[in-house]
Amino acid sequence: MSLITLSILALAVVSGFDASLSHISNTPPISWLVAELGGDPQGDMPASLFAADEAEDDTAVNGTAVDSTENDVGRLLEAADEAMHLEDSEAAIALYQRALTLIEQAPSLDANEKGEALSGLGTAYFYSDQYDLALETLEQALSLYQRLATEEQPNFTLSQLAESPYASILIDLLGQLGSIHHERANFATALTYYQWGLQSEDPEIRAFALHDIGAVETSIGQYEQAVVTLQQSVSLSQSVGDSLTEASAVFTLGWAQELQENYGEAISNYKKAIALFDSLEEPDRQARIFNNLGTVHLKQGNLAAAREAFEQGFALIADDEDSTEQSILLASLGALYQTLGELDPAWRSQLKALQLSKQTEYTLDDTEVLLNLGGLMEEAAEPALAIFFYKQAIARIETVRQDLQQLPVSEQQDYTQTVEYLYRHLADLLLQQDRVPEALQILDLLKLQEVSAYLHDDLSDELGNNLNSDRPTDAESPEEPADQFNTLPEAGLRVALAELPEDIALEDFLARPAVVALLADDTPSVATLPAVETFQSVILEQGLQTAVLYPLILEERLEIILITPEGAISHVAMPITRTDMVNKVGELQKKLKNSALDPTEPAGDLYDWLIRPIEEQLSAQGVENIIYLPDSVLRYVPLATLHDGEHFLVEKMQSHNITAAQVHDLLQKDTSPLSVLAGAFIDSSTNHTVQVGPQSFNFQGLSAAEQEIENLQKMVPDTEVLLNDAFGIEETLAAVGGRRILHLATHAKFVPGQPEESFILFGDGGTVNIQDIRDWKLPGVDLVVLSACQTASSFEGEGKEILGLGFQLRQTGAASAIASLWTVDDTSTAALMTQFYEALSAGETKAQALRTAQVAMINSKRYSHPYDWSAFILIGNGL
């Protein structure tokens, strides 16, 4: 773990913010202007400059004094611009603020001067790391210029940006706002702002926008697209002779290549960027490149070259107070020390990096250091401290993920893949320390994130009680945990961390009271764990002895988490690797989907892995019902098919799946009379073609579904039926109101990848994809049955399409869904559904009725093979 952040969250964004100063004109030296004004721009402004403020005569105010004020404002803006050129942000802020004060006192002044003052002040705030003030001020400037653009062009919108006389100013402001959000790791928001720059007619601005877009793409794991974007930026900036943007784009291109592990190309581009920035006399930017060059050497095991690169970086900023660059280099140096086994210097470097990072709002810098500290504590054999630092880092990552909800699904998925293992690693550590409830909560959070990224859906409601996104403040005390994942000692250390001396040794840190309290806490407890509380409440409401089974597939072992009917939580580790599991699931699926093959051997192996280790507990407590949260490829295996050598699991107990503890209302049982809306595509003479990207799917009407619907009407007299062309999307949604069950006897396909590629086919040939399902309104529906659907057998998506289906149906208001994991013969489906509705009509719960139907199929002569009965799983509320 020593290089954890070097490979995943390495920082290399070179934000060429010089473009944001495009409004600055050539001015005389600031010393000349200050001398003429008779004052210090960083101090009080000379009274003689602002004589208009003291004007007592109204006529004067309407005449000469106004002219004087205009001159004063102009001089202040010139002085402020010059201060920005001299990188004196504090002086610039004072000058811009004074200019704004005069402008407010003389409302007849040109609004453009106010806009210039606001944009300049916002930029100065940004350079001084006052991001909140920068955002507020720049947004005011943007609003002002949009109003001016509207006055020129009524009904003006940003989509008409290129046509506005204010285009360059608006693009400049949008770019600055993007830069601030980028620094704060609000990647999706930053990307939205950056893309406006592509509308500019100025090739330099387009080149710069391409650079910034490429930097965001790199940050969220879109490496291949980033390389293309950045190469375009390099080419365009070279064509117009913009060496600064070229240097930035070459550097960021090297970063994208580094993260692709194309180390040779990365090193080549880093060296090119160093030479370019050297000619431009940009030492800060060279320092960042030397940092990244050093991390590549570190990844390659060339420690001497890494140290040399870091030292060159430090030398360039020796006299610089830029805490961001120092923090980044210190974190990398700490990683080098850790690789060398020098833990105390590694600790001191990382701590100093963390302290410096807190002086800015550079979110990822803070996150990287926390992750590095977690890895360092693992190496120091201090797992409790490693867990603490990883928790704080994941809290930061959560803020990034929430902003990513704005991005396309594929981009969210790429970022998820870059950080997902961090959650699994933290859960792994917690389980190793027997801190099972906390591990369960982390895993629940991970499942919510997986489905959120897959569906491009905002889960803010479900995530509301998870890890905090706020930094610790002095007001937070150990008695009041900062978030619902920190134990009390962790909350105490979270506050104490901000008060540590700058150069405290690792040994002395371990002796600090807050650390001692954390390490002495043998039975850590968290104030509130919503996932655990939900599970325990659900168990009590099931009416049967119920347990929760939550497997976790790690690289080298399988963890089985069990919550018993009494609410006790335990775990068992099995020496089953991820590769073992993938291979076994593939073998079982192959045999389940072919009625000529016997699946009992692989089904028996999976029983031995998943159930046998907890069998004694299940038997001792008389468990009759399992709530199952399968992980990864286990989502492709119906729990009912596991075999103990004599019987399938379904013959011993019922089960149903859920996606995550916080996603489903699992406590309510619908006691209203059975009523069904059934839609069916039964006309076997009709074919519908569905085009999904380059793929075409041809579907024929399900002839046996006609018998299925007739049987359903017999079992549930209150059944309304829509057939073939009458079975359309709008017709179905219009008729479902007041119905307890929505039964769809039609084709559906759920595949890994994008949710847009998964669909339900209606009788009139219309389709709805998983993405669209969330717009359905099914608040009174207790169950949605998809009786002829299938999911793909590919393990590429690790079952996230199944996770997505369950979640999206829940989003509609429906309590649960029944769907199949592979294509099943429509005749056996009709037989299963007849048994299911018969049991449901007799008063059984949904989970009980599905088990009853499956056991009846097992005991029949015709449909006893799992191919015919086990494909169907219940997702959601089993009552």
Side-chain angles (χ1 to χ4, degrees):
M1 294 295 293
S2 61
L3 300 183
I4 188 170
T5 61
L6 298 179
S7 61
I8 297 300
L9 295 172
L11 297 172
V13 178
V14 180
S15 299
F17 300 128
D18 304 74
S20 67
L21 301 179
S22 59
H23 66 279
I24 294 177
S25 59
N26 293 322
T27 60
I30 193 169
S31 56
W32 171 87
L33 191 55
V34 170
E36 180 174 328
L37 298 181
D40 179 357
Q42 298 188 60
D44 295 332
M45 298 297 104
S48 59
L49 179 60
F50 309 116
D53 293 353
E54 300 171 1
E56 297 178 0
D57 185 281
D58 288 342
T59 303
V61 171
N62 292 326
T64 305
V66 172
D67 293 336
S68 175
T69 301
E70 289 178 353
N71 291 333
D72 293 343
V73 168
R75 291 187 175 192
L76 283 167
L77 292 176
E78 287 180 356
D81 289 347
E82 182 64 18
M84 289 297 294
H85 276 300
L86 297 175
E87 299 183 3
D88 190 347
S89 300
E90 292 184 11
I93 288 170
L95 289 159
Y96 284 130
Q97 287 176 334
R98 186 55 184 162
L100 281 169
T101 299
L102 287 182
I103 291 168
E104 293 298 330
Q105 292 173 352
S108 61
L109 289 178
D110 189 343
N112 280 287
E113 291 186 308
K114 183 175 182 179
E116 183 179 350
L118 284 169
S119 60
L121 179 60
T123 302
Y125 281 139
F126 175 79
Y127 272 87
S128 61
D129 293 331
Q130 300 181 64
Y131 290 172
D132 286 337
L133 288 172
L135 279 175
E136 179 184 350
T137 307
L138 290 171
E139 284 168 355
Q140 289 178 25
L142 180 65
S143 177
L144 185 150
Y145 280 112
Q146 282 183 282
R147 177 174 58 80
L148 293 175
T150 303
E151 290 175 359
E152 294 274 347
Q153 298 171 271
N155 302 317
F156 169 81
T157 65
L158 285 178
S159 62
Q160 303 163 306
L161 187 58
E163 304 169 10
S164 172
Y166 293 94
S168 61
I169 297 174
L170 288 167
I171 289 172
D172 178 56
L173 288 168
L174 291 162
Q176 290 185 71
L177 288 166
S179 297
I180 296 170
H181 283 290
H182 196 161
E183 290 284 305
R184 304 180 88 168
N186 296 331
F187 296 129
T189 305
L191 191 60
T192 300
Y193 282 118
Y194 286 156
Q195 286 169 338
W196 291 111
L198 299 179
Q199 293 196 32
S200 175
E201 296 180 355
D202 186 336
E204 289 189 28
I205 294 177
R206 290 202 307 276
F208 192 76
L210 284 166
H211 161 263
D212 285 344
I213 291 167
V216 171
E217 290 169 342
T218 306
S219 297
I220 62 175
Q222 289 278 53
Y223 305 139
E224 291 184 6
Q225 180 58 49
V227 167
V228 173
T229 304
L230 291 164
Q231 286 172 336
Q232 292 174 346
S233 177
V234 171
S235 177
L236 187 55
S237 58
Q238 287 175 338
S239 70
V240 296
D242 183 356
S243 299
L244 180 58
T245 299
E246 179 190 355
S248 296
V250 168
F251 173 31
T252 312
L253 176 60
W255 178 40
Q257 292 164 335
E258 175 190 343
L259 296 178
Q260 288 178 305
E261 299 185 0
N262 295 331
Y263 295 142
E265 294 180 14
I267 289 172
S268 175
N269 277 314
Y270 284 156
K271 289 180 177 178
K272 288 178 185 176
I274 288 171
L276 285 166
F277 279 126
D278 185 54
S279 66
L280 294 167
E281 298 183 357
E282 293 279 355
D284 284 4
R285 303 187 188 211
Q286 287 179 282
R288 181 76 67 91
I289 307 172
F290 276 115
N291 170 80
N292 281 53
L293 183 60
T295 65
V296 174
H297 290 314
L298 192 53
K299 291 172 184 179
Q300 293 178 315
N302 190 344
L303 305 189
R307 183 187 291 274
E308 180 182 356
F310 296 149
E311 288 175 350
Q312 287 176 288
F314 278 116
L316 287 166
I317 58 171
D319 300 322
D320 196 337
E321 297 182 358
D322 189 331
S323 57
T324 296
E325 300 305 327
Q326 291 181 33
S327 173
I328 291 169
L329 276 164
L330 282 165
S332 298
L333 181 62
L336 172 62
Y337 282 133
Q338 186 176 337
T339 303
L340 292 167
E342 300 176 21
L343 298 189
D344 187 68
W347 156 258
R348 291 175 191 258
S349 294
Q350 299 292 358
L351 177 63
K352 179 63 174 175
L354 183 65
Q355 291 169 331
L356 286 172
S357 73
K358 290 185 179 298
Q359 296 176 16
T360 73
E361 297 185 51
Y362 199 2
T363 303
L364 283 187
D365 187 14
D366 190 290
T367 304
E368 283 203 48
V369 179
L370 288 166
L371 289 170
N372 285 342
L373 285 166
L376 176 63
M377 291 305 162
E378 279 195 79
E379 194 155 329
E382 296 290 353
L385 286 169
I387 288 168
F388 164 76
F389 283 115
Y390 286 143
K391 281 186 178 182
Q392 313 317 307
I394 284 177
R396 306 294 193 274
I397 291 170
E398 281 303 294
T399 65
V400 177
R401 295 181 59 81
Q402 290 172 17
D403 181 74
L404 288 180
Q405 298 295 337
Q406 305 171 54
L407 292 179
V409 183
S410 60
E411 297 175 19
Q412 292 187 57
Q413 288 173 327
D414 284 335
Y415 186 79
T416 299
Q417 291 167 6
T418 65
V419 299
E420 179 180 323
Y421 86 96
L422 299 175
Y423 293 79
R424 291 184 178 274
H425 185 72
L426 176 55
D428 185 352
L429 282 179
L430 287 163
L431 290 169
Q432 289 181 43
Q433 301 302 306
D434 287 325
R435 295 167 61 171
V436 188
E438 293 167 84
L440 194 63
Q441 195 76 344
I442 291 293
L443 292 174
D444 203 56
L445 178 62
L446 175 61
K447 290 195 185 303
L448 287 172
Q449 291 168 339
E450 287 178 324
V451 74
S452 175
Y454 176 72
L455 294 172
H456 190 196
D457 211 336
D458 185 358
L459 299 188
S460 56
D461 291 342
E462 282 81 6
L463 296 174
N465 291 322
N466 289 313
L467 289 170
N468 64 291
S469 60
D470 298 324
R471 297 186 178 187
T473 65
D474 294 339
E476 293 167 341
S477 67
E479 289 75 24
E480 297 178 359
D483 60 68
Q484 297 200 32
F485 271 68
N486 276 345
T487 64
L488 291 177
E490 284 172 343
L493 179 56
R494 187 169 176 263
V495 175
L497 198 63
E499 302 169 353
L500 289 177
E502 284 193 4
D503 196 34
I504 185 172
L506 178 59
E507 181 180 1
D508 294 335
F509 169 72
L510 295 175
R512 301 285 286 195
V515 177
V516 171
L518 186 148
L519 297 179
D521 190 13
D522 295 329
T523 56
S525 61
V526 181
T528 306
L529 288 174
V532 177
E533 290 183 341
T534 298
F535 285 135
Q536 292 172 336
S537 298
V538 167
I539 285 171
L540 296 175
E541 295 294 326
Q542 295 304 299
L544 298 173
Q545 287 290 90
T546 297
V548 174
L549 176 60
Y550 204 141
L552 172 65
I553 302 173
L554 299 170
E555 290 301 321
E556 299 300 326
R557 74 182 193 279
L558 170 68
E559 286 278 357
I560 304 166
I561 300 172
L562 179 69
I563 305 179
T564 68
E566 298 173 347
I569 304 175
S570 62
H571 74 112
V572 179
M574 295 289 290
I576 309 299
T577 67
R578 175 178 289 274
T579 301
D580 292 337
M581 183 62 74
V582 170
N583 291 339
K584 189 61 64 177
V585 169
E587 181 186 354
L588 177 59
Q589 257 218 344
K590 180 180 179 181
K591 293 182 176 181
L592 287 175
K593 295 193 293 184
N594 188 337
S595 59
L597 300 177
D598 183 2
T600 53
E601 184 178 343
D605 290 337
L606 284 171
Y607 186 96
D608 290 340
W609 295 355
L610 288 168
I611 303 298
R612 194 80 68 187
I614 58 174
E615 191 173 41
E616 187 175 331
Q617 287 176 277
L618 297 176
S619 177
Q621 299 199 36
V623 171
E624 303 170 85
N625 179 37
I626 292 180
I627 296 175
Y628 185 43
L629 289 92
D631 181 41
S632 186
V633 295
L634 284 173
R635 295 174 185 137
Y636 294 115
V637 176
L639 195 64
T641 60
L642 303 192
H643 201 275
D644 68 359
E646 295 183 9
H647 300 285
F648 291 106
L649 184 63
V650 71
E651 297 179 81
K652 301 162 64 174
M653 62 186 70
Q654 67 185 47
S655 64
H656 67 280
N657 293 15
I658 63 172
T659 55
Q662 298 176 59
V663 167
H664 293 286
D665 179 2
L666 305 170
L667 299 174
Q668 301 299 318
K669 177 175 171 57
D670 192 333
T671 58
S672 63
L674 280 181
S675 58
V676 179
L677 173 65
F681 175 32
I682 64 174
D683 184 357
S684 58
S685 65
T686 300
N687 285 278
H688 291 310
T689 300
V690 179
Q691 190 74 32
V692 179
Q695 288 185 294
S696 290
F697 299 95
N698 294 305
F699 298 104
Q700 188 178 42
L702 301 164
S703 57
E706 184 173 5
Q707 185 63 52
E708 177 183 332
I709 298 300
E710 289 178 1
N711 292 341
L712 172 54
Q713 288 178 296
K714 292 176 184 177
M715 299 297 173
V716 185
D718 189 4
T719 296
E720 180 180 353
V721 177
L722 301 174
L723 298 177
N724 301 321
D725 287 343
F727 172 36
I729 299 170
E730 293 183 4
E731 292 84 350
T732 302
L733 295 179
V736 75
R739 299 287 172 175
R740 180 171 159 184
I741 298 173
L742 174 60
H743 183 102
L744 304 177
T746 184
H747 298 281
K749 193 171 185 64
F750 303 103
V751 299
Q754 309 299 337
E756 293 86 353
E757 297 173 356
S758 297
F759 60 87
I760 300 171
L761 174 69
F762 284 75
D764 62 354
T767 60
V768 61
N769 63 44
I770 292 187
Q771 190 82 357
D772 298 332
I773 289 175
R774 66 176 165 191
D775 296 326
W776 289 8
K777 303 300 180 187
L778 309 174
V781 174
D782 186 42
L783 175 65
V784 176
V785 178
L786 300 168
S787 74
C789 68
Q790 61 167 312
T791 64
S793 59
S794 167
F795 297 159
E796 224 173 88
E798 296 191 329
K800 291 176 184 176
E801 69 280 8
I802 304 167
L803 200 65
L805 171 64
F807 178 75
Q808 284 296 69
L809 287 173
R810 177 265 178 187
Q811 289 285 77
T812 68
S816 55
I818 287 179
S820 63
L821 297 178
W822 56 84
T823 303
V824 182
D825 180 79
D826 54 340
T827 303
S828 60
T829 296
L832 181 93
M833 289 298 160
T834 298
Q835 296 287 345
F836 172 73
Y837 280 106
E838 183 177 358
L840 204 61
S841 299
E844 293 187 5
T845 66
K846 290 167 286 189
Q848 288 173 325
L850 182 58
R851 174 179 180 256
T852 296
Q854 290 176 325
V855 170
M857 298 282 279
I858 292 171
N859 292 331
S860 72
K861 292 181 179 180
R862 186 176 178 184
Y863 301 120
S864 60
H865 192 281
Y867 165 78
D868 291 310
W869 56 263
S870 69
F872 289 96
I873 59 171
L874 173 64
I875 306 171
N877 187 322
L879 295 175

